[in-house]
Every structure is written in structure tokens, then in C-alpha cells.
Amino acid sequence: METQLYIGIMSGTSMDGADAVLIRMDGGKWLGAEGHAFTPYPDDLRAALLALQNIGTDELHRSRMLSQELSRLYAQTAAELLCSQNLAPYDITALGCHGQTVRHAPEHGYSVQLADLPLLAELTRIFTVGDFRSRDLAAGGQGAPLVPAFHEALFRDDKETRAVLNIGGIANISVLPPDAPAFGFDTGPGNMLMDAWTQAHWQLPYDKNGEKAAQGNILPHLLDRLLAHPYFSQPHPKSTGRELFALNWLETYLDGCENRYNVLRTLSRFTAQTVFDAVSHAAANARQMYICGGGIRNPVLMADLAECFGTRVSLHSTAELNLDPQWVEAAAFAWLAACWINRIHGSPHKATGAAKPCILGAGYYY
């Protein structure tokens, strides 16, 4: 039997754009990732998506129109990936699309990811799988994080407990014991607050290479107050998002006189410290941590992580395990599409708190 190709499309809580990754599978067996494409969000699209984070007027109409706009952008990204790999739509077994999260409310049993999946199937002419979180929520789970099962399939070691850290808008960890099911949870903000602060004070999408944070100093009093948030003392499984950790939340801890570079520097240490606390609590015997996501490109944040962990845990890129750190999340949704096609339980129910493992997603023919 020939191997199969899948495309995964991911747009995370950073809302910077859409990543598409091409993977190869042999049934349910991972063979590797073979290509990547990225399409940045236009400023007006990003602004409209951020506006949906807050209660407003005409939300239903706005969300449906944005779903269509996103799906056109996703289809464009998939087409660019196919072109770069000299492939046609009929070469792809399925496309897995996460969509764009605009509300995550597991306490109410729902999580909203915008994507017009039937339209995406029509535009790409590829069988499309999406709405991955709803099935886990229906089974009593948080609907997040969904990546620990994928991390387990690719990165688990038979001899040691490993941790995998994804630093997107939200940071999440997967804990991969050698002799027990994987589990994981959201540790708190990843890049999200740093990006929001940078956008508000320098009108830049993010702090490139940590250049502005490097000019500041940590504010211990502010850091302590941020770390006192009750989310960090909650037991896992747990998940979070912009609903909890937004710029307006941060501003309640500020008097307005702080140096903007110092606040940004403190936010970097805040992310690193919350990751350290989470790993120390949930994976005390882990000695290796593999990092993926956009945060790995921020040398200030990486230095903060190294300082927090010291010699206790060695930090690595997932590239050392043969998967580019920028490709991991999109590859996970390609893998989940393969799980759907092959009727494999792809949900990490030990991570989400669901009552049972599930086959995640819903499929749409074109």
C-alpha cells in the first residue's frame, strides 16, 4: 500500500497568520514532514479577529464572514504549499484545519474556532477535517491542549520522561512518561502578552529577536503580582486563553509610570517562570525539554527559560527530534486528520480530562 500525504493548517492564539505543513503517513504511522508554507494575516483581518474576543454587536454575522475570509486565506496557504512541493490536490488524502480560536470557554462546554470547513474543502478540492475540539468537550474534556497525543507519537522515549513545550500565544506543555499515557496542560501566557504590549507601545506586531525586552529590567513586584493569579495554582487538566490573560488584565497591575521596556522584560520572565513552575510540579523527573513554537525565536525568553531551569533540565529544539519547531503545531493537525481517516483515537484525554479517548473532528468532502 502506498504512503499518504496530509496537510495541516494551524493559526494560533498569536493571530499572526496561518501555517501549513505537509506530512507523510503510512496508515497511522508517522513518516515525516516534508514542506511548509506561511501566510501572514493582513492587519484588518487580525484586528477584526481580536475584536471578536470581546462581547460586541452583530457577532454572529461578523464571525461567519470572518470564517469565510479565513478559509480563503487557508486555501491560499495550502495552494502555495502544494505548488512548492509540485503536488496537486488529488495527491493529498486529507487536510486538517484547526481554525482560529476566538473564544475558549471549557467551563461552559464550548470553544470557538473560526473556519468555514465546507468552503475550505470546495476551495482546495481536498477532503477536509476540522472542528477538532468539540468532540473532546462533549466527552467532558477541556478541548485543549490537543497536541500531547501527537507529541507522544513522535517524541516519546522508552527510557526517560520528556517534556515538550510549545510557546505560541499561550504556552502549553506535554509530559511524556516512558511507561504511562502522555498528559499536558496550558501553563499560561506564551508570547501573547509580550506581543500585545509591543503592539500597544511600539506599533509593531512582536518584539523581533527580543530586542526591546533586552533593553529592560525585571520588575520583581510586578512579576510577583502576576504570578499570584489563581490559574497557576489550579490543578490540571486546565486550559486558558485571551479571555483570562489579555492586555486589559495586565494593565490592572500597572500604575502607568512603569518603563515600557521594563514591563516587556518582566513579561518574558513571567512566561518563563510559569513554565518552570508547571514543569517542576507536573514533571519533576523530566531532564530533557524540547521546545517548539514562535517563542523559540526570542533569545530573551529562551535565556529566561535557561536561567529558570538551570542545570536541572536540558533545553532543546524539536529540530533535534527531526521536526522544525515552527512546523510542529500545523503538523499535529495533519496527523489528527490522518487519525480521523484511519479511525484512530487521537485525543489526549489524560491531558484534557475527557471521560474517554475520542476520534476528533468532522469531515467534509469537496
Side-chain angles (χ1 to χ4, degrees):
M1 183 178 178
E2 293 185 357
T3 59
Q4 306 85 40
L5 295 172
Y6 294 86
I7 290 174
I9 299 179
M10 175 67 188
S11 45
T13 47
S14 292
M15 293 190 180
D16 56 345
D19 286 283
V21 168
L22 177 74
I23 72 167
R24 187 176 296 274
M25 300 284 291
D26 183 357
K29 181 183 178 182
W30 170 270
L31 296 179
E34 301 188 359
H36 170 260
F38 175 75
T39 302
Y41 283 171
D43 290 344
D44 56 348
L45 173 59
R46 187 175 189 278
L49 290 168
L50 285 170
L52 271 183
Q53 294 292 135
N54 304 309
I55 295 173
T57 59
D58 209 17
E59 285 185 331
L60 288 176
H61 176 72
R62 287 189 291 140
S63 66
R64 296 320 303 158
M65 297 306 293
L66 284 170
S67 294
Q68 294 178 31
E69 186 174 352
L70 282 166
S71 292
R72 294 186 181 96
L73 184 142
Y74 295 154
Q76 173 192 337
T77 311
E80 290 173 0
L81 177 58
L82 289 174
C83 182
S84 71
Q85 300 297 309
N86 196 28
L87 295 169
Y90 58 75
D91 293 314
I92 308 302
T93 299
L95 181 155
C97 178
H98 172 265
Q100 180 63 64
T101 300
V102 291
R103 300 277 177 90
H104 182 64
E107 69 276 13
H108 298 298
Y110 75 87
S111 184
V112 179
Q113 285 73 46
L114 297 186
D116 188 327
L117 297 170
L119 176 61
L120 182 57
E122 287 292 330
L123 293 172
T124 60
R125 294 180 291 134
I126 299 171
F127 183 85
T128 297
V129 184
D131 191 22
F132 290 103
R133 300 192 187 274
S134 293
R135 185 67 190 89
D136 184 83
L137 285 156
Q142 293 269 317
L146 294 184
V147 291
F150 173 67
H151 292 161
E152 182 178 38
L154 267 66
F155 304 142
R156 178 180 172 273
D157 185 85
D158 291 335
K159 297 179 181 178
E160 65 176 1
T161 296
R162 289 176 169 176
V164 180
L165 169 64
N166 173 63
I167 314 173
I170 294 293
N172 55 70
I173 60 167
S174 299
V175 181
L176 313 178
D179 53 1
F183 65 94
F185 54 93
D186 291 346
T187 62
N191 304 313
M192 191 170 64
L193 283 173
M194 291 185 285
D195 289 351
W197 186 259
T198 301
Q199 291 152 18
H201 290 270
W202 289 280
Q203 292 74 54
L204 296 170
Y206 64 98
D207 181 18
K208 187 176 181 180
N209 297 321
E211 292 170 357
K212 299 191 182 304
Q215 299 176 53
N217 298 304
I218 296 168
L219 301 173
H221 179 64
L222 174 60
L223 178 61
D224 289 345
R225 295 184 70 190
L226 298 179
L227 291 170
H229 193 288
Y231 178 80
F232 304 115
S233 60
Q234 291 175 14
H236 59 84
K238 59 182 178 179
S239 56
T240 189
R242 290 182 182 273
E243 298 79 10
L244 204 58
F245 294 108
L247 187 59
N248 58 2
W249 168 76
L250 169 65
E251 289 171 341
T252 63
Y253 293 94
L254 304 176
D255 60 22
C257 298
E258 294 87 357
N259 178 286
R260 56 182 178 169
Y261 294 94
N262 291 345
V263 173
L264 186 59
R265 181 70 184 83
T266 304
L267 291 175
S268 174
R269 178 54 67 96
F270 175 51
T271 290
Q273 186 66 49
T274 52
V275 169
F276 172 77
D277 292 345
V279 173
S280 298
H281 174 74
N285 61 336
R287 295 294 175 265
Q288 311 293 331
M289 185 164 74
Y290 294 87
I291 305 173
C292 59
I296 199 171
R297 295 178 295 184
N298 183 333
V300 174
L301 176 57
M302 295 304 294
D304 276 335
L305 283 167
E307 187 172 337
C308 286
F309 281 97
T311 59
R312 174 178 168 181
V313 177
S314 296
L315 308 184
H316 313 270
S317 166
T318 56
E320 295 183 28
L321 300 176
N322 300 314
L323 188 55
D324 187 298
Q326 298 298 123
W327 297 17
V328 175
E329 276 210 296
F333 289 94
W335 180 83
L336 282 170
C339 289
W340 195 96
I341 292 292
N342 290 283
R343 315 316 294 158
I344 295 170
H345 292 150
S347 67
H349 67 291
K350 295 294 185 182
T352 65
K356 60 183 180 181
C358 302
I359 298 171
L360 302 180
Y364 295 85
Y365 291 96
Y366 65 90

